[in-house]
Amino acid sequence: MKRRKHVTALLLVMTLVVTSLLAGCKKNDTANTSSEATTTPTVEATTPEPTKEATPEPTEAATAEPQDAATVAASLPREETLYFSGQQWGAINDYNPFSSNSNNWWIEQNDDARTMVYETLFMFNQNDGKLYGLLADSYEQKDKEFTVKLKPAAKWSDGTPVTADDVAYTFDAHKRLQTAQGTQFAPYIDSVKAVDPQTVVFTASSENYNPLKVLEVFPKVFIVNKAQMSKLEADNGNDADKIKTAKNENLIASGPYKPYYDDETKVVVVRDDNYWGQDASMWGKLPAPKYLAHNIFIDNNAGAVAFEKGEVDVSQQFMSEVWKMWENGKPVSTYLDDAPYYACVTLPTAIFNVEKPGLDQAAVRKALAMATDYEQIATTAMSGYTPLMSDVPPALMNPTAPERALIDEAQLKDLQWKGKQIDEAKALLDKAGIKDTDGDGFREYKGKKIAFTVQCPSGWTDWNSALEMVAAAGQAIGLDVTTLWTTAAEWTTNRLTGNFDVIMNSYPGASISNPWTRCYQTMYTTPAKEGQNADWNFGRYSNKEADKIIDQIPTVTDQAKLKELYTELNKIYLTDVPAFALMYRPGLFHTVNESVWTGFPQADDGSNVPPTVLTDGYGIAGLYNLTLVK
């Protein structure tokens, strides 16, 4: 923690004035698996231990006469406000968890949802791969039934209890209204029923039995207040389209914060001092900041400037050479003290269209993966914010300990590539009979030169840079590889329809259903024909043995067997190479400025709070450990 000790001295001499700055992909996981059910009781979710530090005493500003929200929001008390950047880039559309068009930074329901206002049953922690109780205490699985016990202390912001009826209504409404969330979990969950006020039973689908996809909803889907949202439905004539576009300003939620103010320059939520989480069964106290505020910046540069000045406390945006900030005396830190500075959980990947001549040859695909210079990608495309392939060898798994523990690295060693292996890649192609027979410098397959493009959207600079290095690697081993930059819309269409040779895409990062979901999306046979949209496996790779393993994994609870299956699946991946990751990328760029607040989570602090910028999943636990700089 040397950096923390170094910056503490600097903080004693710093005072700040806050300025308000004017403003300026979820893939469909639908599976088609069919596996026999097993009776497998799950482990109860971990309960977070209440922290002992007291919430800061209210300041004079907090106890003064009430003012209207706009007046307060114009000049929030700095010692009561935690400022964010990189998660909101325009005025918010709504406060509606059923929304079809929400861009609200505190309403994201990704693999681990943001639980400042609405809450989920559990929270996911990417550090250990576990679920931690939030509205729920525990769950137990027996055959296809998942019995969830709610926390007796859980309350809505209007003081009424959170009940199993609320939970059952939430999932029924998502299905009925065909929301984005509902269409994702509907194939896997047959029913959600209240047994008593604090017990709810999720029944998994028999046709698409997949326990991982049931567990996935626990930390992902916000539980809503049945009475309030039923009224919203009625007020909109029970019209699904109108309900999904309603603003829902009079929301009732259960989280530690509630909406306070928003306009085109900032979004603010204020602490609910009656929050139920003060109960000993949960956090045991309130989060430290009274306000969470997100200024809306015109671009990354404006956000970075404000962050370096200390006007932003927590940033989720790419800032190159971040280490220069603390080298220049700024009280800035990242989750890791040294490179790669951030916890990397996603795998931006080059996907081969295996139906294209030449690319239907595994030797060509693997040779390109072997020849690519990953170290150069790490330094130029990612500013060093990624571990090297030499440190974390290629696999379908991300670099986190829970995922890497699921494979036998020793068994995969001889199949893995290190990068920049030009001579070895050439030898592999030669052995496969793919040679330059006409002397033009490029290799042929069945008499035709192997020429193809690698594509991604223009302006995605890190991806553009990475693919330029892939093209250079291809040229170095006799493959005529060139880059192709498209619009984001064209890239999306091309990816779905298979209109590409090699295309870049980012597969899911850390979640309770990963690495299974990533393996599924990368390798499971898609029914899509040429020109049809593929919702997964965009390169149209097909392997019956891989499909069999992917079908089996969700039903297995024995860790030794699970490791055996994932190892075998990775052998197929490393041999056939339907795709290859170009880098490991942070799920969130967790960077903090300790000019005003301190106590932010770091990898070596013993708190086990993940680097999800104090908003996502178990990362919200970090809000309870903050203290003001003295």
Side-chain angles (χ1 to χ4, degrees):
M1 299 280 283
K2 289 187 288 187
R3 187 183 318 138
R4 283 275 168 93
K5 292 179 181 177
H6 170 68
V7 299
T8 300
L10 295 172
L11 302 177
L12 297 175
V13 296
M14 299 185 71
T15 58
L16 297 163
V17 178
V18 180
T19 60
S20 295
L21 301 182
L22 292 177
C25 13
K26 181 78 180 174
K27 286 168 282 296
N28 185 343
D29 297 342
T30 307
N32 189 27
T33 60
S34 56
S35 303
E36 291 300 315
T38 56
T39 301
T40 51
T42 65
V43 179
E44 289 194 354
T46 306
T47 300
E49 292 185 7
T51 48
K52 295 180 181 178
E53 296 86 351
T55 302
E57 289 295 321
T59 62
E60 183 177 346
T63 56
E65 286 296 314
Q67 294 178 297
D68 68 274
T71 302
V72 175
S75 183
L76 292 169
R78 189 65 178 96
E79 70 280 7
E80 295 183 312
T81 308
L82 191 71
Y83 280 91
F84 293 79
S85 69
Q87 294 170 295
Q88 185 78 41
W89 295 99
I92 65 174
N93 297 329
D94 58 60
Y95 313 94
N96 186 353
F98 293 159
S99 175
S100 57
N101 191 37
S102 186
N103 65 338
N104 192 329
W105 76 293
W106 49 257
I107 208 171
E108 290 286 337
Q109 296 177 82
N110 293 320
D111 290 328
D112 42 355
R114 290 179 187 157
T115 51
M116 300 98 82
V117 177
Y118 287 104
E119 294 183 309
T120 51
L121 294 170
F122 297 89
M123 301 169 287
F124 177 71
N125 188 339
Q126 69 181 45
N127 285 353
D128 55 23
K130 295 180 181 179
L131 292 176
Y132 288 74
L134 187 51
L135 290 174
D137 259 331
S138 63
Y139 69 88
E140 182 179 11
Q141 181 191 355
K142 185 176 181 181
D143 294 321
K144 295 181 178 67
E145 291 189 346
F146 294 73
T147 301
V148 176
K149 292 288 187 180
L150 300 181
K151 277 190 169 67
K155 298 285 192 299
W156 295 108
S157 54
D158 65 357
T160 59
V162 176
T163 70
D165 280 339
D166 294 312
V167 179
Y169 165 79
T170 297
F171 287 90
D172 174 70
H174 273 294
K175 270 191 173 182
R176 206 166 15 81
L177 299 171
Q178 295 186 320
T179 66
Q181 295 283 18
T183 56
Q184 288 168 16
F185 70 69
Y188 307 103
I189 299 176
D190 277 349
S191 66
V192 181
K193 295 183 178 179
V195 176
D196 60 47
Q198 290 172 306
T199 308
V200 61
V201 175
F202 290 73
T203 302
S205 168
S206 296
E207 182 180 354
N208 294 312
Y209 178 63
N210 189 325
L212 291 177
K213 301 302 283 187
V214 178
L215 291 178
E216 186 179 73
V217 304
F218 292 175
K220 184 175 183 175
V221 176
F222 292 135
I223 305 305
V224 301
N225 182 282
K226 178 180 178 179
Q228 188 257 316
M229 294 301 285
S230 293
K231 184 177 184 302
L232 182 77
E233 289 196 67
D235 289 347
N236 286 276
N238 296 312
D239 183 305
D241 291 335
K242 290 181 179 179
I243 294 162
K244 288 186 287 186
T245 54
K247 190 159 186 178
N248 192 37
E249 291 176 297
N250 300 314
L251 64 92
I252 295 173
S254 63
Y257 291 88
K258 53 190 177 183
Y260 186 67
Y261 180 80
D262 64 88
D263 62 16
E264 70 279 2
T265 68
K266 69 174 61 177
V267 179
V268 183
V269 294
V270 63
R271 190 176 61 209
D272 181 354
D273 287 349
N274 294 314
Y275 174 51
W276 72 269
Q278 298 172 81
D279 187 79
S281 66
M282 197 56 221
W283 306 109
K285 63 174 187 176
L286 292 170
K290 179 174 180 179
Y291 301 98
L292 305 182
H294 196 303
N295 283 341
I296 300 173
F297 298 102
I298 191 170
D299 55 26
N300 261 358
N301 184 62
V305 170
F307 175 78
E308 191 165 3
K309 289 180 179 178
E311 296 165 2
V312 169
D313 305 297
V314 187
S315 175
Q316 193 305 103
Q317 61 181 75
F318 181 92
M319 293 180 283
S320 63
E321 300 180 324
V322 68
W323 58 86
K324 288 187 177 179
M325 290 191 192
W326 58 78
E327 287 178 353
N328 292 331
K330 302 295 183 181
V332 169
S333 63
T334 48
Y335 192 69
L336 305 175
D337 282 337
D338 302 304
Y341 306 110
Y342 302 98
C344 296
V345 298
T346 64
L347 282 71
T349 294
I351 303 168
F352 293 104
N353 186 333
V354 300
E355 295 181 340
K356 298 286 185 177
L359 295 180
D360 57 357
Q361 298 300 297
V364 172
R365 303 192 298 264
K366 185 155 188 173
L368 190 61
M370 292 169 64
T372 298
D373 189 342
Y374 303 101
E375 186 171 350
Q376 189 179 7
I377 289 176
T379 55
T380 60
M382 282 297 294
S383 199
Y385 304 152
T386 178
L388 301 177
M389 291 289 176
S390 55
D391 295 327
V392 186
L396 284 162
M397 333 304 272
N398 72 20
T400 62
E403 288 201 14
R404 301 306 290 204
L406 289 170
I407 54 175
D408 187 334
E409 300 273 10
Q411 288 192 45
L412 302 178
K413 185 176 180 181
D414 291 341
L415 295 172
Q416 291 166 321
W417 47 87
K418 305 177 186 66
K420 209 174 180 180
Q421 297 164 272
I422 304 299
D423 291 339
E424 293 169 71
K426 288 179 177 180
L428 178 63
L429 292 169
D430 288 343
K431 185 177 179 180
I434 302 171
K435 301 179 180 181
D436 176 15
T437 58
D438 60 9
D440 67 350
F442 296 111
R443 297 173 184 266
E444 292 85 39
Y445 174 68
K446 291 185 177 181
K448 292 186 178 181
K449 180 175 72 172
I450 298 180
F452 55 89
T453 61
V454 291
Q455 68 167 283
C456 76
S458 174
W460 294 19
T461 54
D462 52 341
W463 285 21
N464 296 159
S465 180
L467 287 184
E468 284 171 353
M469 293 169 210
V470 171
Q475 296 282 335
I477 60 175
L479 306 176
D480 188 8
V481 185
T482 55
T483 58
L484 173 64
W485 311 142
T486 67
T487 66
E490 289 170 335
W491 166 76
T492 298
T493 299
N494 292 344
R495 174 169 50 86
L496 294 175
T497 60
N499 182 26
F500 63 87
D501 299 326
V502 181
I503 199 164
M504 199 162 170
N505 187 60
S506 194
Y507 284 117
S511 77
I512 196 66
S513 67
N514 263 330
W516 180 86
T517 298
R518 187 183 312 116
C519 296
Y520 174 86
Q521 291 192 342
T522 306
M523 298 182 69
Y524 197 81
T525 301
T526 174
K529 305 300 181 184
E530 185 176 355
Q532 294 180 334
N533 279 11
D535 292 327
W536 68 90
N537 189 357
F538 306 114
R540 271 67 169 179
Y541 172 77
S542 183
N543 184 301
K544 291 182 179 180
E545 185 59 29
D547 288 351
K548 182 179 176 181
I549 293 171
I550 293 169
D551 279 339
Q552 191 176 353
I553 283 173
T555 67
V556 174
T557 57
D558 178 78
Q559 290 301 299
K561 179 62 176 177
L562 206 54
K563 187 169 185 176
E564 177 185 323
L565 291 170
Y566 272 120
T567 300
E568 288 304 310
L569 186 61
N570 274 274
K571 285 180 181 179
I572 297 172
Y573 168 77
L574 295 166
T575 300
D576 286 357
V577 197
F580 67 107
L582 300 181
M583 63 186 81
Y584 301 111
R585 187 179 177 88
L588 295 168
F589 286 94
H590 177 106
T591 317
V592 300
N593 187 310
E594 295 179 278
S595 299
V596 177
W597 297 92
T598 190
F600 295 99
Q602 273 201 322
D604 58 357
D605 64 6
S607 71
N608 195 35
V609 177
T612 52
V613 293
L614 290 81
T615 60
D616 293 19
Y618 193 64
I620 199 170
L623 293 174
Y624 296 82
N625 298 332
L626 297 179
T627 57
L628 291 168
V629 173
K630 305 216 177 191

